[in-house]
Amino acid sequence: MEQKKTNKSLPIIIIIAVILLIVAFLVFRGSPEKRAEKQAAKIAATVDDDMIKQVSDQVNTMCPMTVDEHTRLDNTEAKPGKVLQYNYTLTQLSKAELPETFEATMTDQILAQVKHNPQMGVLRDAKVTFVYSYKDVNGDLVKEFKVTPDMYE
């Protein structure tokens, strides 16, 4: 009778042991989110001016690009010191016609874009500075908005 109890409990012991091994493996391996964060940090550490130039070149293959009824992305530029500049034209407005709220509104929108756009994650992790340059319909500079890492971290 004693022998039968041992045989019946053996599969339960094996199942518990397997479950404990799986749990231990997952705990020590880390969560998928942690692994993704580590991978992103590794990639961010490799971002340099040459890589930013590659990003700029890739975006430029799609330019000029209509953003909305008033805005066109003309091109981007990679600048020294891990700076990525976006050059926009306001296609229907001159500098004189812009509303008084333009600067404040754009500052908020640009900062939100940099902070929350998942496509910019690696660049944020690499502490890239973003410059958004706006010209009016006449080609006159309206405003450059600079977003530094201390503003989006």
Side-chain angles (χ1 to χ4, degrees), residues 107-122:
T107 298
D108 292 344
Q109 288 179 0
I110 289 168
L111 190 54
Q113 168 77 6
V114 172
K115 281 184 173 182
H116 303 296
N117 184 334
Q119 294 175 335
M120 299 177 95
V122 171

Side-chain angles (χ1 to χ4, degrees), residues 24-54:
F25 174 75
L26 292 174
V27 167
F28 289 112
R29 185 171 174 219
S31 68
E33 294 83 13
K34 291 287 185 193
R35 288 191 311 276
E37 286 175 16
K38 287 179 184 177
Q39 184 65 24
K42 285 180 186 177
I43 293 169
T46 66
V47 172
D48 59 9
D49 287 344
D50 289 336
M51 188 172 280
I52 293 169
K53 173 79 169 106
Q54 290 174 8

Side-chain angles (χ1 to χ4, degrees), residues 75-129:
N75 61 22
T76 63
E77 297 175 58
K79 298 194 170 199
K82 294 188 354 182
V83 176
L84 180 60
Q85 179 169 320
Y86 295 86
N87 297 311
Y88 292 94
T89 296
L90 301 171
T91 58
Q92 298 179 10
L93 298 170
S94 70
K95 190 174 183 176
E97 296 171 313
L98 290 174
E100 290 180 20
T101 59
F102 174 78
E103 189 171 335
T105 301
M106 292 308 295
T107 298
D108 292 344
Q109 288 179 0
I110 289 168
L111 190 54
Q113 168 77 6
V114 172
K115 281 184 173 182
H116 303 296
N117 184 334
Q119 294 175 335
M120 299 177 95
V122 171
L123 296 174
R124 280 192 308 266
D125 292 344
K127 301 187 183 327
V128 170
T129 294

Side-chain angles (χ1 to χ4, degrees), residues 1-16:
M1 194 63 144
E2 188 71 30
Q3 182 69 10
K4 286 187 177 182
K5 283 186 179 178
T6 305
N7 287 341
K8 286 183 180 178
S9 63
L10 186 60
I12 293 172
I13 292 171
I14 291 172
I15 291 172
I16 291 172

